[in-house]
Amino acid sequence: TEKYARVERAENKTLALEIKGFGRVNPARSIQVAPEVAGIVVKGSIPIKQGLNFRKGQLLFKIDDREASLSLKARKSSFLNLMAGALADVKIDYPESYDKWLAFFNNLDVEKTFPELPKMESSQEKTFLASRNILGEYYTIKKDEIRLSKYSVYAPFNGYYAQVMQQEGAFAGMGTPIATLSQDSDLEVIIPIENNNARIVQEGMRVHLLHKSDGKQWDGTIKRIEQQINANTQSINVYAVPLKKSEELLAGMYLETTIFAGMKDNCMKIPRKAMVNEQEILVVRD
């Protein structure tokens, strides 16, 4: 029986190096939020529901701060009483500083953040205020103001709830994860490629992205390349970013990818199945 073989005439050319693969679209930024204080989770501007969008600066949720708020107000009231008692002595002992401390006292409001302390002109003035415990109480109040601000958690970027671990009304301990936030404006495509191909891939190379089910296409560039091999797949992850933002490009999509890794002179392209043991090819002579 005669056997037939398909052959192709060898003609060397300058060809583009294309590395094909598949990639998954991921948010470029994704963080897990947890409160720095303990208490009951209180609803913010929007419900804590998976998939809901939020805007940067929007109140995501609060930890019930009524007790901490009242405690801070009580401490501020005590400080007002302390300052009122010290003003009479300041007027007598440090008359040149009386006006600035009186203005500071008048600006104190238990409902608002305390203003900065006036500048102390002499060591005697500083010693007097320290002996009255004014400095210690003031800085304790400023510390409590910072702590009270931690009861409210605001969105650090525009995005959506990718995962929700706690709902309104639940008790959350210090450091208990409440939700995972993902940024919706910046996306990247994670492309695993063979280790051998990774050696010729460089940052800035052009990438073509194709969503095969609907034929939509995007262009992108290589943003970064991992410096370690995945132990399970023996591949290296390459991260590409689309050149233009598109509402049709969504996190979780799988895309066909083509990395254009430059040009190669004096070569020809053959089907991979024509390789024998991935090392040799059959050549027809004469």
Side-chain angles (χ1 to χ4, degrees):
T1 303
E2 293 182 341
K3 293 184 177 180
Y4 294 88
R6 292 180 58 188
V7 299
E8 183 178 349
R9 184 175 296 278
E11 294 180 1
N12 290 339
K13 304 176 181 178
T14 298
L15 298 176
L17 291 179
E18 298 180 355
I19 302 173
K20 295 186 179 294
F22 290 89
R24 187 183 74 251
V25 181
N26 268 22
R29 190 178 179 191
S30 186
I31 62 172
Q32 194 176 78
V33 290
E36 297 182 58
V37 293
I40 302 297
V41 180
V42 180
K43 176 185 172 183
S45 301
I46 59 171
I48 308 175
K49 297 292 183 182
Q50 187 166 326
L52 279 184
N53 292 81
F54 50 77
R55 309 299 297 174
K56 182 177 180 180
Q58 198 168 14
L59 179 63
L60 297 177
F61 62 88
K62 291 180 64 176
I63 300 298
D64 188 2
D65 63 351
R66 289 175 295 177
E67 183 178 347
S69 178
L70 291 173
S71 177
L72 178 59
K73 288 178 181 178
R75 191 149 208 161
K76 287 182 175 181
S77 297
S78 298
F79 183 79
L80 285 172
N81 187 45
L82 194 63
M83 278 297 305
L87 278 175
D89 292 331
V90 171
K91 188 173 184 179
I92 296 172
D93 298 334
Y94 308 98
E96 70 282 358
S97 300
Y98 177 73
D99 289 341
K100 69 179 181 183
W101 285 106
L102 179 62
F104 171 74
F105 176 77
N106 291 332
N107 285 330
L108 296 178
D109 187 341
V110 295
E111 298 291 342
K112 298 178 181 178
T113 302
F114 271 12
E116 293 295 321
L117 278 173
K119 183 179 179 180
M120 286 163 274
E121 304 296 339
S122 64
S123 59
Q124 292 85 354
E125 185 180 349
K126 184 185 296 185
T127 302
F128 168 77
L129 294 169
S131 65
R132 294 297 184 96
N133 200 30
I134 290 175
L135 298 182
E137 278 297 308
Y138 174 80
Y139 288 116
T140 299
I141 288 171
K142 296 302 288 184
K143 180 197 71 174
D144 289 344
E145 286 178 343
I146 294 174
R147 182 170 178 80
L148 184 63
S149 69
K150 295 178 180 180
Y151 281 80
S152 300
V153 178
Y154 296 90
F157 46 71
N158 296 338
Y160 60 93
Y161 284 109
Q163 186 180 6
V164 172
M165 286 76 86
Q166 296 286 344
Q167 297 286 347
E168 297 98 341
F171 177 84
M174 187 184 303
T176 301
I178 302 296
T180 299
L181 314 179
S182 292
Q183 195 169 15
D184 57 6
S185 56
D186 294 325
L187 299 172
E188 61 186 14
V189 183
I190 304 176
I191 309 169
I193 61 176
E194 294 180 3
N195 183 31
N196 290 337
N197 289 333
R199 286 181 247 176
I200 62 174
V201 176
Q202 298 177 3
E203 292 183 13
M205 284 183 169
R206 189 165 63 90
V207 183
H208 181 259
L209 309 170
L210 170 65
H211 192 230
K212 196 170 182 180
S213 63
D214 56 18
K216 291 184 172 61
Q217 304 178 52
W218 301 269
D219 288 323
T221 57
I222 301 298
K223 181 180 180 181
R224 65 184 189 277
I225 303 168
E226 277 193 1
Q227 300 302 311
Q228 63 180 6
I229 298 176
N230 187 306
N232 296 322
T233 62
Q234 290 298 297
S235 62
I236 292 179
N237 285 338
V238 172
Y239 297 83
V241 292
L243 293 177
K244 294 183 180 180
K245 294 180 180 180
S246 172
E247 295 182 355
E248 298 173 328
L249 194 62
L250 302 174
M253 277 184 172
Y254 278 91
L255 305 175
E256 287 189 5
T257 62
T258 303
I259 301 174
F260 299 98
M263 307 297 291
K264 189 73 173 177
D265 295 327
N266 197 32
C267 64
M268 70 172 292
K269 182 164 62 174
I270 64 172
R272 187 174 293 275
K273 64 182 180 181
M275 300 287 289
V276 181
N277 298 325
E278 297 189 354
Q279 293 182 356
E280 300 172 345
I281 57 172
L282 300 178
V283 179
V284 178
R285 300 191 186 279
D286 302 329

